[in-house]
Amino acid sequence: MKICYICSVVAVLFALTACQQNKSKADNKISTTETVEEPSEDNPDVISFTQNDMDDILVDATEEFAKHKITIIDFWASWCPPCRREMPNLVNIYNNYKDKGLGIIGVSLDEDKEQWTNAVKGMNMTWTQVSDLQGWDNQVAVKYGIRSIPYTMLVDSKGKLLATELRGEELEAFVAKYFQN
């Protein structure tokens, strides 16, 4: 009985660590998106995309990156419990480092605009937010192979990929170290 309880707790904790795409839907989908190039010294600007913000204004990520020393691209959704649990940490990091040159672009995998915008406002996410409201079929998420959220990509002012998949203390430590240099 005790082992079954422990197994149940472990299974629940594992399930709550990230929201994942329905694998069967993804595996059956034919992708028509462009190939993603890997970062290299010859091609540091590999991260680039455009998508509409909450006011339906097209945001060019490259232009956003140029405004900051470092930018966190945060893939998330309002319906994702791990994303919502991570958000206070992201808000704290942003508030502590925005004046030093930190930017964030939130890429939402929501399908409901009202739910998305309410979450942004309710969690005090004051940075740039974009979405095409296509859920897991979000063009940016598909382009970069995002299959679970929350997921972060960190880029420099030219869009060069610096790190991925950082959350919590690891994300804060990376940002702090970056601004110490």
Side-chain angles (χ1 to χ4, degrees):
M1 177 95 150
K2 187 174 184 178
I3 292 174
C4 290
Y5 174 75
I6 292 170
C7 291
S8 297
V9 170
V10 170
V12 168
L13 289 174
F14 182 74
L16 293 177
T17 60
C19 294
Q20 295 185 350
Q21 180 179 15
N22 180 333
K23 300 257 190 266
S24 61
K25 179 180 176 185
D27 293 341
N28 293 330
K29 184 178 166 208
I30 298 172
S31 177
T32 59
T33 60
E34 62 190 80
T35 303
V36 178
E37 297 178 57
E38 291 297 318
S40 71
E41 288 184 28
D42 296 330
N43 188 9
D45 300 339
V46 293
I47 307 299
S48 179
F49 59 88
T50 59
Q51 202 156 77
N52 287 342
D53 67 10
M54 294 187 305
D55 295 320
D56 293 321
I57 297 170
L58 190 64
V59 173
D60 184 328
T62 305
E63 291 175 8
E64 287 294 311
F65 302 155
K67 296 176 187 177
H68 309 286
K69 292 180 182 175
I70 184 175
T71 301
I72 300 169
I73 305 167
D74 177 43
F75 293 88
W76 74 285
S78 66
W79 46 260
C80 170
C83 299
R84 294 182 75 101
R85 281 193 303 275
E86 178 66 13
M87 208 50 68
N89 182 55
L90 207 53
V91 168
N92 185 51
I93 291 170
Y94 182 69
N95 289 337
N96 288 338
Y97 293 96
K98 66 182 177 182
D99 294 334
K100 295 179 181 183
L102 175 67
I104 301 178
I105 299 176
V107 180
S108 172
L109 274 60
D110 277 282
E111 294 179 357
D112 182 297
K113 186 171 184 175
E114 183 177 357
Q115 188 174 337
W116 170 42
T117 57
N118 287 342
V120 168
K121 292 172 187 169
M123 291 188 289
N124 298 313
M125 300 161 63
T126 58
W127 52 84
T128 301
Q129 293 286 335
V130 299
S131 183
D132 60 9
L133 299 173
Q134 297 300 310
W136 284 107
D137 293 326
N138 177 291
Q139 290 178 358
V140 178
V142 170
K143 178 178 181 177
Y144 293 106
I146 307 304
R147 297 186 71 139
S148 68
I149 54 175
Y151 187 92
T152 57
M153 301 170 80
L154 289 89
V155 297
D156 68 11
S157 63
K158 297 184 187 225
K160 182 178 179 185
L161 187 62
L162 302 173
T164 61
E165 300 185 67
L166 300 178
R167 291 170 38 187
E169 292 177 6
E170 288 180 319
L171 178 60
E172 187 166 10
F174 183 91
V175 171
K177 185 175 180 180
Y178 189 87
F179 285 110
Q180 285 178 351
N181 296 334

